[in-house]
Amino acid sequence: MTTLKATLKDDLTTAMKARDELRSSTLRLTLTAIAKEEVAGKSARELSDDEVLQVIAKEAKKRREAAEAFDQGGRAESAAKERAEGEILDAYLPKQLTDDELNVIVAEAVAEARAAGAEGPKAMGAVMKIVKPKVAGLADGGRVSAAVKNLLAG
């Protein structure tokens, strides 16, 4: 079985042969981020596919945030490049949950937390504890907490 990291390396080679500059640079930067993560901490190690996915998700989020910043600064060309890089990375991530799918998971968690006696502001933490493992890698943390707040308030 090929690891996700190996897949990224193969795709980089393919992109370089195809002279696809955007894809090459995006994958190169992502592999660098993975390598950095592997040597971070006390001892160097090979990242698991799940850990590689977390690095890719972090890189994709950086691209989205940069694109928003460039948009606000009136730099549409730079924003478009960041978005394009983000789309390349998104292809390696599991398909994100739709708002409806996320709301169903959150609603179940709210019911579960209330059944366990969580009310008021404490309910937020209890619900997030239930939701987080279910949506890990499938929805951005900001989206998750917004959905939880909406359902707790509603």
Side-chain angles (χ1 to χ4, degrees):
M1 193 190 109
T2 352
T3 63
L4 184 52
K5 185 175 160 188
T7 304
L8 288 168
K9 285 181 176 174
D10 292 345
D11 291 354
L12 172 59
T13 306
T14 307
M16 286 164 61
K17 285 180 182 166
R19 298 209 186 320
D20 183 340
E21 284 304 316
L22 182 70
R23 185 172 292 274
S24 298
S25 69
T26 303
L27 293 177
R28 222 181 255 119
L29 286 168
T30 304
L31 284 163
T32 301
I34 291 167
K36 254 191 204 140
E37 196 62 37
E38 287 179 333
V39 297
K42 294 199 186 327
S43 60
R45 63 195 173 83
E46 190 79 19
L47 295 183
S48 70
D49 276 359
D50 283 346
E51 291 169 315
V52 170
L53 277 175
Q54 287 174 351
V55 173
I56 295 173
K58 208 182 301 171
E59 291 294 308
K61 184 178 181 188
K62 280 185 202 168
R63 302 305 190 286
R64 280 192 297 278
E65 289 169 351
E68 282 172 29
F70 282 132
D71 276 339
Q72 288 166 0
R75 294 179 54 197
E77 197 176 300
S78 297
K81 180 179 183 282
E82 292 292 336
R83 276 201 189 82
E85 288 182 3
E87 284 168 19
I88 289 170
L89 295 174
D90 285 343
Y92 295 96
L93 296 170
K95 194 176 167 315
Q96 296 291 294
L97 293 172
T98 64
D99 288 343
D100 291 342
E101 291 168 330
L102 181 59
N103 286 333
V104 167
I105 292 171
V106 171
E108 289 168 1
V110 167
E112 194 178 317
R114 287 203 171 126
E119 282 300 325
K122 285 190 178 135
M124 178 84 184
V127 172
M128 288 299 282
K129 259 189 204 124
I130 299 168
V131 174
K132 270 215 146 123
K134 292 181 181 174
V135 299
L138 302 174
D140 183 55
R143 273 183 65 208
V144 176
S145 63
V148 171
K149 279 183 191 133
N150 282 348
L151 282 173
L152 286 175

